[in-house]
Amino acid sequence: MAGASNAADTDFRKKWDKEEYAERAKKKDQDEKERMQENEERMKQGKKPRKGARRDDLPKPTELMKQREAPLELDKNLGKTMVVQNPGGKGPGQPGFHCEACNRTYKDSVGYLDHINSRAHLRVLGQTTKLARSTLAQVQARIAFLREKTKAATTAKAYDFDQRLAEVKAKEVALRDEKKAVKKAEKEKARLELIKDTAMAQDDDMAKMMGFGGFGSSKK
């Protein structure tokens, strides 16, 4: 039973395909061997050795640079504890920010941003570093959109101010009513004490008039 329980506890871990990773390692070694041979030829010709992949292997750009439509969500895992699925290898599952297109992982958001804005990353996506020129209609539409957005934000801000002002006034009225109630209660208490004292004084006067001023012997 204990063995079955331990097996169930580790079901979440990633299953490794040894043949796939062996094929990747073999291809990597072959690419490295070809790169070293090419660098020897380049050094004989007085050229600098090549460090990374050849640019000829990258796809040729077929379109201009596009604006990102999906948010990057760089802070989505901020303050969270996560299980590292691939601590020693390359690819997804490592701590940091992973680029699926280039299969590269960066330890911080600064390096990741530099990469996704780089020429090499755009080349993998088939994009150039040039931006498309906007037409007059596009510029006018953008200006109209920004105006509406600013107007909506101003209206929301004014509404929030009016609502806040109404809340402050309501609190002032409630505080004023509370003070009036306390003052009225104090006056009523004082009035009742005055009536009580007056009644006691009248009772004493009536007792004196009827000869009940006190008890005990009197000296003549």
Side-chain angles (χ1 to χ4, degrees):
M1 295 296 292
S5 178
N6 292 335
D9 292 342
T10 58
D11 287 343
F12 69 93
R13 294 184 178 178
K14 184 177 180 180
K15 305 298 186 297
W16 300 99
D17 188 347
K18 295 182 179 180
E19 294 181 0
E20 178 185 356
Y21 280 89
E23 186 65 25
R24 288 185 183 182
K26 183 178 179 180
K27 184 177 183 303
K28 183 178 179 181
D29 293 340
Q30 183 64 27
D31 293 342
E32 184 66 17
K33 183 178 179 181
E34 292 178 358
R35 187 179 70 84
M36 295 296 292
Q37 292 177 354
E38 182 181 352
N39 285 341
E40 289 181 3
E41 295 295 330
R42 292 174 65 89
M43 293 180 68
K44 289 179 181 179
Q45 298 175 6
K47 298 180 180 179
K48 293 182 179 181
R50 179 171 58 86
K51 295 182 180 180
R54 295 185 348 185
R55 294 186 178 272
D56 297 340
D57 298 337
L58 297 175
K60 292 184 179 180
T62 57
E63 54 187 0
L64 298 175
M65 185 189 300
K66 292 184 177 180
Q67 182 180 2
R68 283 189 294 270
E69 298 179 355
L72 294 177
E73 298 181 345
L74 298 178
D75 56 348
K76 66 177 181 179
N77 295 325
L78 184 64
K80 296 181 180 179
T81 301
M82 302 179 64
V83 178
V84 178
Q85 301 287 348
N86 185 14
K90 292 185 177 181
Q94 298 184 86
F97 301 89
H98 182 71
C99 175
E100 294 288 346
C102 303
N103 194 24
R104 300 186 66 177
T105 302
Y106 296 86
K107 301 301 181 183
D108 53 58
S109 59
V110 177
Y112 179 68
L113 284 174
D114 290 341
H115 167 71
I116 61 178
N117 293 325
S118 65
R119 183 189 298 270
H121 177 75
L122 295 175
R123 184 80 178 271
V124 172
L125 299 179
Q127 300 179 13
T128 66
T129 55
K130 296 180 180 180
L131 296 173
R133 291 181 61 87
S134 300
T135 62
L136 178 60
Q138 290 175 337
V139 173
Q140 291 175 344
R142 184 63 178 175
I143 293 174
F145 169 74
L146 293 176
R147 283 178 178 173
E148 290 296 328
K149 187 176 180 181
T150 304
K151 183 179 179 180
T154 304
T155 304
K157 187 175 181 181
Y159 173 75
D160 292 341
F161 176 76
D162 293 339
Q163 183 178 5
R164 179 59 179 167
L165 185 60
E167 292 176 356
V168 171
K169 289 183 177 179
K171 288 182 179 180
E172 290 179 352
V173 172
L175 184 60
R176 194 181 305 118
D177 293 341
E178 183 180 358
K179 289 182 178 180
K180 287 182 179 179
V182 171
K183 189 178 293 185
K184 184 177 181 180
E186 291 177 352
K187 288 183 178 180
E188 183 65 18
K189 183 179 179 181
R191 187 180 69 83
L192 293 176
E193 290 180 353
L194 180 61
I195 293 174
K196 183 178 179 181
D197 294 341
T198 303
M200 291 179 64
Q202 290 177 354
D203 291 343
D204 291 342
D205 294 341
M206 184 63 67
K208 290 179 181 179
M209 290 175 62
M210 296 178 66
F212 297 107
F215 295 95
S217 61
S218 58
K219 295 182 180 179
K220 295 183 180 179

